[in-house]
């Protein structure tokens, strides 16, 4: 049974959320760990990744997950209780191979649901989820979070043909899958309980919309920072920048600003094979007709050109194109996820109309393109990990 | 034009002549290869070898780089499978083919000898089939053709290194005393395993002289901790003492030029080729130290692979080589180190 109940005020009613542990204790334990993280970092993480994780574990951010999902926490029932939520049951998570922070971030979120969690990590990449779990166990003294990590979370590495995939699907009330469409379909076809459900985060891509007069140096630097985290390899990475109502001249100017502002004091060089690939990409883009430049230390390839030019499939290739505002919807890729905006008035109703008529799942400032949260790809997936009991007078 | 190929490969270099031939060749490609021209359209004749415009080796996987000059006759379109799974598209014209055959003959003859012998290829004839396609390993094997009296493919199955056609092998052994054996390093290591050789073969090879030639790199051998010494010992342990092993380096994107390893661990550069080492991050030439290798030659007309920036790293060796070969030489270290790229999308 779940002894701990938290109360959340939503309009004039109260939502009760029942947990097997005291929620605030878990959040406090994360906060304790955070202090340790400021001093000691596992070598497998990059500094950027570790810094993001520390920011994510900020108490305010973790409380914000509940605020967004259930409303404001209150000490007791205020008004009428309408809903009682309790952990739905076992959650199985399939992570992709080249994933970076998704595993650790999911781990954090899932500890806040009270469910038992089974995570399958890829076999061909560094498993940051296990490394982070071990870090927690090695650095956190006894407490709720440590108990959850030791008793309620399992993380394993195996490939797609392993029988443990079947076991994971069979035991779970919720299947969360980050993968290609094909893998998602394969997991969906595994035997699973009738009353279970699947949440599938399949291949997505993102882009930036910018109005040239809204772009100052800070915005360019932010774009550079966001792009350099994953290059083209993240579903939230800007695959291209669209200059709204721009032209060739403005695109070339924007490209030059990026090249000029590209940082020269990066604490580490990019991998050698990426620098080499960028030489290849630079030549490829030139041959395709792009106006193209390499940034400092061959660390990326910035190109300006017509939106109809073929793109180069390369890790650090960032094309700057232009389009009319009225054409934006039709130019979006079918699997669009995030639009990072740098607009004079992003909340003007005309922008929101364009978003509402599209498949866009997230419309955020450029600096928040990679931010992960309880709502993802159009799913309020965090809330879906709870069973909702209706309470009426 | 093409004076250098007429010379011996390892004599004192004539850099002025090399530059002159490369400038003419570069102009030829700029004129007749649209993609090369788009990339290097503003290029003017160079007064330094290091300024000659190159093509990154990876570009052959993405673009059609073909120099369709007047009277050109293209023989093959070569798709070479590589470890990345993406194929390079290499156009080879007849004129270059002739020059490349001459080049390989001169280079390898210096290491292997000029006497023609049966060439035993540790691969399957099936690797040759497929219209216009040429795998990297068969391309490498066929570069030895000018030194062969006959060519035999010893494997029955191209994917099974143990599928040696023993009857054929025995028959060839009985009728000859000197052989060239070629295989990709990894395949040769797996195939030439005396534990699986029939007794009759083991007995007969003891008195036969083999020149084992291999290429393809050590990446897979490194993973199972096979050193070059261990590799050579396996090949030479049960054959005539005059047998030897020659390890050569070359790119399918630059057929016709191979770089055999001399007995002092240097790879010598023939006078009709050159190698530049560049800083990976700035592309500045490096005189001393390790960097990315750029390979050049004066004998390629059908595509601008006369000047290729590779994905391999190495360094130029200074001074004279004790082996006696003159000219420039380098040391190869392998591929540019590859780090994991993280994200969650397929790029």
């Amino acid at each position: 049974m779940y002894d701990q109940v938290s109360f959340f005020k939503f309009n004039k009613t109260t939502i009760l959320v029942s947990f097997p542990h005291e929620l605030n204790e878990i959040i406090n334990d994360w906060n304790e760990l955070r202090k340790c993280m400021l001093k000691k970092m596992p070598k497998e993480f990059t500094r950027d990744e570790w810094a993001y994780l520390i920011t994510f574990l900020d108490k305010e951010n973790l409380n914000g997950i509940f605020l967004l999902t259930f409303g404001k926490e209150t000490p007791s029932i205020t008004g009428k209780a309408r809903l009682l939520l309790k952990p739905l049951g076992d959650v199985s998570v399939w992570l992709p191979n080249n994933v970076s922070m998704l595993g650790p971030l999911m781990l954090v979120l899932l500890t806040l649901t009270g469910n038992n969690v089974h995570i399958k990590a890829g076999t061909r990449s560094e498993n940051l989820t296990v490394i982070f779990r071990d870090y927690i166990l090695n650095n956190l003294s006894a407490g709720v979070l440590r108990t959850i990590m030791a008793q309620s979370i399992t993380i394993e590495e195996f490939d797609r043909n392993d029988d443990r995939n079947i076991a994971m699907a069979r035991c779970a009330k919720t299947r969360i899958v980050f993968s290609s469409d094909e893998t998602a379909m394969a997991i969906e076809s595994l035997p699973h309980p009738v009353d279970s459900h699947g949440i599938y985060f399949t291949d997505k891509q993102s882009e930036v919309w910018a109005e040239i007069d809204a772009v100052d140096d800070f915005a360019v630097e932010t774009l550079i920072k966001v792009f350099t985290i994953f290059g083209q390899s993240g579903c939230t990475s800007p695959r291209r920048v669209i200059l709204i109502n721009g032209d060739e001249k403005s695109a070339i100017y924007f490209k030059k600003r990026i090249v000029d502002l590209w940082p020269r004091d990066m604490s580490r060089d990019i991998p050698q094979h990426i620098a080499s690939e960028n030489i290849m990409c630079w030549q490829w883009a030139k041959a395709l007709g792009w106006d193209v430049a390499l940034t400092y230390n061959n660390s990326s390839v910035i190109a300006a050109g017509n939106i109809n030019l073929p793109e180069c499939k390369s890790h650090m290739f960032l094309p700057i194109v232009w389009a009319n505002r009225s054409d934006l919807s039709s130019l979006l890729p079918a699997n669009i996820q995030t639009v990072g905006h740098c607009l004079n008035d992003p909340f003007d109703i005309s922008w929101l109309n364009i978003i509402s008529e599209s498949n866009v799942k997230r419309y955020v400032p450029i600096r928040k393109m990679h931010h992960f949260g309880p709502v993802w790809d159009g799913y309020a997936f965090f809330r879906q990990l709870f069973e909702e009991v209706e309470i009426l007078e | 034009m093409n004076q250098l190929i007429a010379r011996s490969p390892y004599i004192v270099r004539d850099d002025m002549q090399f530059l002159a031939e490369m400038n003419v060749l570069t102009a030829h490609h700029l004129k007749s290869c649209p993609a090369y021209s788009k990339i290097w359209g503003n290029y003017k004749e160079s007064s330094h070898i290091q300024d000659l415009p190159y093509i990154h080796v990876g570009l052959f996987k993405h673009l059609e780089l073909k120099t369709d000059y007047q009277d050109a006759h293209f023989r093959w379109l070569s798709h070479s499978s590589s470890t990345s799974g993406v194929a390079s598209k290499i156009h080879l014209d007849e004129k270059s083919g002739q020059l490349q055959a001459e080049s390989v003959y001169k280079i390898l003859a210096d290491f292997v000898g000029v006497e023609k012998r049966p060439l035993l290829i540790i691969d399957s004839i099936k690797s040759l089939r497929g219209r216009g396609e040429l795998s990297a390993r068969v391309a490498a094997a066929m570069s030895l053709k000018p030194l062969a009296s006959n060519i035999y493919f010893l494997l029955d199955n191209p994917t099974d290194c143990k599928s040696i056609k023993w009857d054929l092998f025995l028959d060839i052994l009985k009728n000859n005393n000197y052989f060239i054996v070629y295989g990709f390093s990894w395949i040769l290591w797996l195939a030439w395993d005396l534990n699986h050789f029939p007794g009759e073969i083991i007995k007969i090879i003891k008195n036969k002289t083999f020149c084992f030639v291999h290429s393809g790199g050590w990446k897979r051998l490194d993973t199972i901790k096979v050193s070059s010494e261990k590799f050579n010992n396996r090949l030479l342990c049960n054959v005539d003492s005059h047998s030897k092993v020659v390890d050569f380096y070359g790119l399918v994107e630059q057929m016709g030029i191979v770089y055999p390893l001399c007995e002092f661990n240097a790879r010598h550069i023939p006078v009709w080729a050159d190698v530049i080492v560049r800083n990976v991050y700035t592309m500045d030439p490096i005189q001393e130290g390790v960097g990315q290798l750029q390979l050049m030659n004066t004998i390629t007309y059908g595509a601008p692979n006369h000047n290729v920036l590779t994905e391999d790293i190495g360094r130029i060796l200074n001074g004279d080589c004790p082996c006696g070969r003159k000219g420039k030489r380098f040391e190869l270290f392998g591929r540019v180190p590859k780090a994991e790229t993280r994200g969650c999308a397929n790029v």
Side-chain angles (χ1 to χ4, degrees), chain A residues 93-319:
Chain A
V93 182
W94 282 263
L95 294 172
N97 255 310
N98 67 337
V99 71
S100 172
M101 292 298 293
L102 204 52
L105 296 174
M106 280 301 289
L107 186 65
V108 175
L109 279 179
L110 292 171
T111 61
L112 304 175
T113 67
N115 294 303
N116 288 329
V117 177
H118 315 280
I119 297 176
K120 179 229 174 272
T123 53
R124 287 185 279 115
S125 58
E126 195 86 75
N127 190 341
L128 294 183
T129 320
V130 165
I131 292 158
F132 187 49
R133 191 265 316 268
D134 292 347
Y135 181 90
I136 296 164
L137 291 173
N138 291 332
N139 290 283
L140 201 62
S141 54
V144 175
L145 182 56
R146 202 172 196 292
T147 305
I148 291 172
M149 283 295 158
Q151 296 177 3
S152 304
I153 309 274
T154 58
I155 308 171
E156 293 184 281
E157 293 175 25
F158 47 85
D159 66 29
R160 66 180 69 174
N161 300 316
D162 197 294
D163 284 347
R164 282 172 286 183
N165 287 296
I166 299 170
M168 275 179 65
R170 189 170 281 151
C171 77
K173 283 279 190 176
T174 308
R175 298 174 302 282
I176 300 177
V177 183
F178 296 89
S179 72
S180 64
D181 292 358
E182 293 76 17
T183 305
M185 281 192 279
I187 291 169
E188 176 60 21
S189 69
L190 295 173
H192 54 261
V194 174
D195 60 347
S196 66
H197 68 127
I199 301 173
Y200 296 95
F201 300 113
T202 54
D203 190 29
K204 293 281 189 298
Q205 58 179 296
S206 301
E207 63 186 38
V208 162
W209 292 355
E211 287 175 308
I212 197 76
D213 54 346
V215 181
D216 55 14
D217 283 357
F218 180 72
V220 174
E221 285 163 356
T222 303
L223 172 64
I224 291 169
K225 198 171 175 185
V226 166
F227 179 66
T228 52
I229 290 173
F230 298 129
Q232 294 267 352
S233 299
C235 56
T236 50
S237 301
R239 294 272 178 105
R240 65 183 179 185
V241 176
I242 298 185
L243 295 179
I244 315 295
N245 297 334
D247 55 18
E248 185 175 15
K249 195 178 160 190
S250 57
I252 291 170
Y253 174 67
F254 195 94
K255 178 206 79 175
K256 186 177 180 310
R257 286 178 77 185
I258 292 175
V259 174
D260 290 347
L261 288 170
W262 198 270
R264 287 161 186 264
D265 57 349
M266 282 186 175
S267 56
R268 63 188 184 281
D269 280 318
I270 60 155
Q272 290 186 34
H273 82 281
I274 295 292
S276 172
E277 182 181 311
N278 288 341
I279 295 291
M280 187 274 291
C281 179
W282 167 69
Q283 296 193 335
W284 187 10
K286 280 190 95 167
L288 294 176
W290 292 90
D291 186 309
V292 62
L294 284 155
T295 54
Y296 182 69
N297 266 0
N298 297 339
S299 49
S300 70
V301 183
I302 313 297
N306 186 288
I307 199 164
N308 296 317
L309 283 174
E311 288 184 11
C312 305
K313 296 284 177 213
S314 187
H315 182 62
M316 293 301 289
F317 176 68
L318 180 61

